[in-house]
């Protein structure tokens, strides 16, 4: 999610080598690399969100005069500064800060990368945006806002022969190597090794933790581990397809229909804990320990954050006030067909509590965190994901006697309600996270 510091930092780490694909103003036109690496730029298309100001945020003017430069520095300060109080780092602050910083986040890519724009716009201009660095640095705070004294180990200190016998050191090494994960992609479309060889070679010590470079110009790449080239390579191709698939079913246009919302929910339900939408859900947030999976399913955030956050009515005078408001928005009179406006209104009331509709046996359900009473207020939201018909037939009834096109279609539709269980790309599969839940649908493998 690009509404949190952690989300922005993760996105920037994955995308910084390809920001040159998405230059957004005339100053950076000569730096654009889309013509040189079209396949790579297409593969990294989701990264464009990092350098495009979020909707509704203010665009900073071009720094052409002294007065404008002063105004720019003030805009950045007003949007991004939070002093030494981390409690001020709200989604609203992060979004506003991202808005004024988006077009100059290239100032904070590693200086030796082609995507760094320091040479293009100059150190003086980048300095105007210095507070923006807190969006993409690991500490999540600007150096002049909060000093953090922390011992940092280099990759050469962590990735040593001892990793073979020291599990903690092994995982610490791999975590460090993930910062330049594109260097080790086996699919050349996703690999940045040929693009940024010197930068990648700084992390050659990662080889001890099974990270290997895919050098498109190397004559001995056939000698690489079959898992590094064959299996992972084929997975990377399907990985792109899965990104595109999630982006499609969770697009704004698709979320204007009941069928589209149900499709998006089926894809995303196991990962809604990646996107807490208010303070009540923060204790349920799983992004910190499911970072890879949350990144893979990042486009699912649209399911829970398409509309302006709805503010429920107070329950002080009437404890059923929220339930009544949700029912009014989401219960249709008999025979009335849902309009796009009706779907949008119901979705807005429900989106921050879509996690209540998730099977309570899995981690992404927020019933345990919010309580059954809170989730019951939003029970009418079930209409968005198929209503009562969703559980009307068991998986055994749907799939045990498939003998024609009609019965196959019904079985397939039922199986798709737990689609992540059957994905064969690790970060898109929820099987290792929710094995018991997935095993309930093992008949789908047939």
């Amino acid at each position: 999610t690009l509404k949190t510091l952690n989300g922005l930092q993760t996105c920037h780490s994955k995308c910084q080598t390809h920001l040159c694909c998405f230059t957004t103003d005339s100053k950076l036109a000569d730096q654009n690399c889309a013509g040189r690496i079209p396949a790579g730029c297409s593969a990294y298309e989701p990264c464009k969100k990092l350098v495009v100001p979020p909707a509704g945020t203010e665009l900073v003017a071009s720094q052409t005069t002294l007065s404008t430069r002063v105004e720019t520095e003030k805009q950045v300060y007003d949007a991004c500064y939070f002093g030494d109080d981390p409690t001020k780092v709200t989604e609203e602050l992060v979004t506003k800060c991202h808005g004024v910083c988006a077009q100059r986040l290239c100032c904070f890519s590693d200086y030796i990368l082609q995507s760094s724009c320091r040479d293009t716009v100059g150190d003086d201009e980048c300095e105007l945006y210095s507070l923006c660095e807190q969006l993409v640095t690991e500490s999540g705070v600007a150096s002049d806002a909060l000093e953090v004294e922390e011992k940092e180990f280099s990759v050469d200190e962590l990735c040593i022969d001892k990793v073979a016998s020291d599990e903690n050191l092994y995982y610490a090494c791999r975590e460090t190597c993930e910062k330049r994960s594109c260097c080790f992609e086996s699919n050349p479309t996703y690999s940045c090794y040929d693009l940024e060889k010197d930068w990648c070679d700084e992390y050659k010590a990662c080889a001890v933790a099974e990270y290997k470079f895919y050098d498109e110009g190397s004559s001995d790449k056939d000698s690489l581990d079959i898992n590094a080239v064959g299996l992972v390579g084929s997975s990377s191709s399907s990985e792109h397809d899965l990104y595109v698939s999630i982006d499609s079913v969770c697009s704004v246009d698709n979320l204007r229909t009941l069928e589209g919302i149900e499709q998006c929910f089926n894809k995303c339900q196991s990962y809604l804990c990646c996107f807490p939408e208010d303070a009540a859900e923060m204790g349920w947030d799983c992004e910190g320990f499911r970072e890879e999976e949350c990144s893979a399913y990042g486009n699912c955030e649209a399911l829970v954050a398409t509309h302006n956050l709805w503010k429920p009515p107070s329950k002080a005078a009437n404890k059923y006030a929220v339930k009544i408001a949700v029912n009014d928005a989401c219960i249709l009179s008999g025979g009335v067909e849902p309009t796009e406006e009706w779907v949008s209104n119901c979705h807005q009331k429900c989106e921050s509590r879509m996690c209540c509709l998730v099977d309570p046996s899995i981690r992404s359900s927020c019933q345990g965190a919010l309580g059954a009473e809170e989730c019951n207020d939003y029970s009418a939201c079930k209409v968005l994901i198929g209503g009562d018909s969703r559980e009307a037939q068991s998986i055994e009834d749907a799939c045990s006697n498939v003998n024609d096109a009609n019965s196959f279609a019904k079985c397939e539709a039922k199986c798709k309600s737990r689609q992540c269980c059957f994905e064969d790309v690790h970060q898109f599969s929820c099987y290792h996270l929710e094995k018991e839940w997935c095993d309930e649908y093992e008949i789908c493998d047939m």
Side-chain angles (χ1 to χ4, degrees):
T1 170
L2 298 184
K3 293 182 179 180
T4 67
L5 289 178
N6 188 55
L8 281 164
Q9 291 155 20
T10 301
C11 182
H12 184 264
S13 177
K14 291 283 188 183
C15 295
Q16 63 172 322
T17 55
H18 286 74
L19 295 188
C20 58
C21 296
F22 316 110
T23 53
T24 51
D25 62 38
S26 57
K27 280 189 176 183
L28 303 177
D30 292 341
Q31 191 178 351
N32 189 282
C33 60
R36 289 188 288 109
I37 51 169
C41 289
S42 176
Y44 280 82
E45 178 69 22
C47 295
K48 187 175 182 178
K49 295 176 182 178
L50 185 66
V51 294
V52 174
T57 56
E58 189 174 1
L59 186 65
V60 176
S62 178
Q63 294 76 41
T64 55
T65 67
L66 181 60
S67 61
T68 305
R69 291 169 63 82
V70 172
E71 290 167 7
T72 294
E73 194 165 29
K74 184 179 186 304
Q75 274 185 281
V76 173
Y77 182 90
D78 290 345
C80 300
Y81 185 70
F82 56 88
D84 58 358
D85 185 359
T87 64
K88 292 181 180 178
V89 186
T90 62
E91 285 190 1
E92 182 181 7
L93 181 142
V94 171
T95 300
K96 285 182 178 179
C97 184
H98 184 202
V100 300
C101 295
Q103 293 189 334
R104 289 297 178 266
L105 288 179
C106 54
C107 287
F108 310 107
S109 294
D110 195 301
Y111 191 81
I112 71 171
L113 294 176
Q114 295 178 51
S115 274
S116 170
C117 59
R118 279 192 171 267
D119 279 345
T120 306
V121 302
D123 287 339
D124 288 345
E125 181 165 324
C126 283
E127 188 59 29
L128 299 176
Y129 292 86
S130 59
L131 279 176
C132 298
E133 190 173 5
Q134 65 191 344
L135 295 179
V136 295
T137 55
E138 286 189 2
S139 60
V141 292
S143 57
D144 64 339
L146 182 62
E147 293 296 329
V148 179
E149 291 186 5
E150 183 177 328
K151 171 66 174 173
E152 291 187 1
F153 293 96
S154 72
V155 66
D156 292 318
E157 291 175 300
L158 286 173
C159 298
I160 56 179
D161 290 340
K162 191 180 176 183
V163 299
S165 57
D166 187 327
E167 184 178 6
N168 290 333
L169 189 61
Y170 173 81
Y171 284 111
C173 170
R174 288 186 65 88
E175 183 178 355
T176 297
C177 295
E178 272 296 311
K179 296 173 184 175
R180 301 194 183 182
S181 58
C182 67
C183 295
F184 310 105
E185 289 286 355
S186 59
N187 185 319
T189 303
Y190 288 90
S191 173
C192 62
Y193 186 76
D194 278 351
L195 185 67
E196 303 291 355
K197 188 175 185 298
D198 290 344
W199 184 71
C200 288
D201 282 342
E202 292 176 1
Y203 273 53
K204 61 185 178 182
C206 294
V208 299
E210 300 167 43
Y211 279 84
K212 299 180 180 181
F213 296 134
Y214 179 89
D215 184 353
E216 201 167 26
S218 173
S219 60
D220 62 352
K221 56 180 178 282
D222 289 338
S223 66
L224 290 178
D225 188 305
I226 186 172
N227 289 321
V229 177
L231 298 180
V232 178
S234 60
S235 294
S236 294
S237 178
S238 57
E239 178 181 334
H240 177 59
D241 293 340
L242 288 166
Y243 272 121
V244 171
S245 174
I246 296 169
D247 192 39
S248 175
V249 299
C250 297
S251 67
V252 172
D253 286 342
N254 211 43
L255 293 178
R256 289 175 177 147
T257 67
L258 289 178
E259 182 183 13
I261 292 173
E262 184 175 9
Q263 289 173 345
C264 181
F265 181 85
N266 287 344
K267 283 272 192 186
C268 300
Q269 61 174 317
S270 295
Y271 302 93
L272 295 189
C273 56
C274 298
F275 316 109
E277 289 304 311
D278 58 31
E281 294 179 352
M282 286 304 172
W284 158 79
D285 180 13
C286 65
E287 186 177 14
F289 55 89
R290 288 188 179 178
E291 186 174 325
E292 184 180 28
E293 292 86 355
C294 288
S295 176
Y297 280 85
N299 288 326
C300 290
E301 187 177 14
L303 182 66
V304 296
T306 289
H307 306 281
N308 292 327
L309 188 64
W310 179 57
K311 185 177 181 181
S314 171
K315 297 170 72 171
N318 183 353
K319 68 177 184 177
Y320 300 111
V322 175
K323 190 173 184 67
I324 290 170
V326 174
N327 286 355
D328 288 346
C330 297
I331 295 179
L332 279 169
S333 303
V336 177
E337 288 296 316
T339 64
E340 187 177 300
E341 182 181 5
W342 179 87
V343 172
S344 177
N345 184 41
C346 176
H347 188 203
Q348 184 194 22
K349 303 295 188 296
C350 298
E351 62 179 1
S352 68
R353 293 295 180 265
M354 293 297 289
C355 54
C356 286
L357 307 180
V358 175
D359 189 311
S361 70
I362 67 174
R363 175 64 176 77
S364 216
S365 169
C366 57
Q367 283 198 37
L370 301 178
E373 182 179 338
E374 169 85 3
C375 282
N376 185 56
D377 286 342
Y378 293 85
S379 58
C381 298
K382 197 171 184 179
V383 69
L384 296 174
I385 61 167
D388 293 334
S389 64
R390 187 175 178 87
E391 304 300 333
Q393 188 177 34
S394 72
I395 187 64
E396 287 77 15
D397 290 341
C399 296
S400 59
N401 190 25
V402 177
N403 51 27
D404 57 31
N406 185 51
S407 57
F408 177 83
K410 288 182 178 179
C411 174
E412 183 181 40
K414 189 71 175 178
C415 291
K416 281 185 175 180
S417 68
R418 301 191 184 182
Q419 191 163 348
C420 65
C421 295
F422 310 103
E423 301 292 3
D424 56 5
V425 178
H426 178 76
Q427 63 264 43
F428 287 91
S429 171
C430 61
Y431 187 79
H432 62 292
L433 302 173
E434 305 294 352
K435 185 177 184 300
E436 291 183 5
W437 183 68
C438 288
D439 283 344
E440 294 174 5
Y441 273 49
E442 63 181 351
I443 193 172
C444 296
D445 266 341
M446 299 172 60

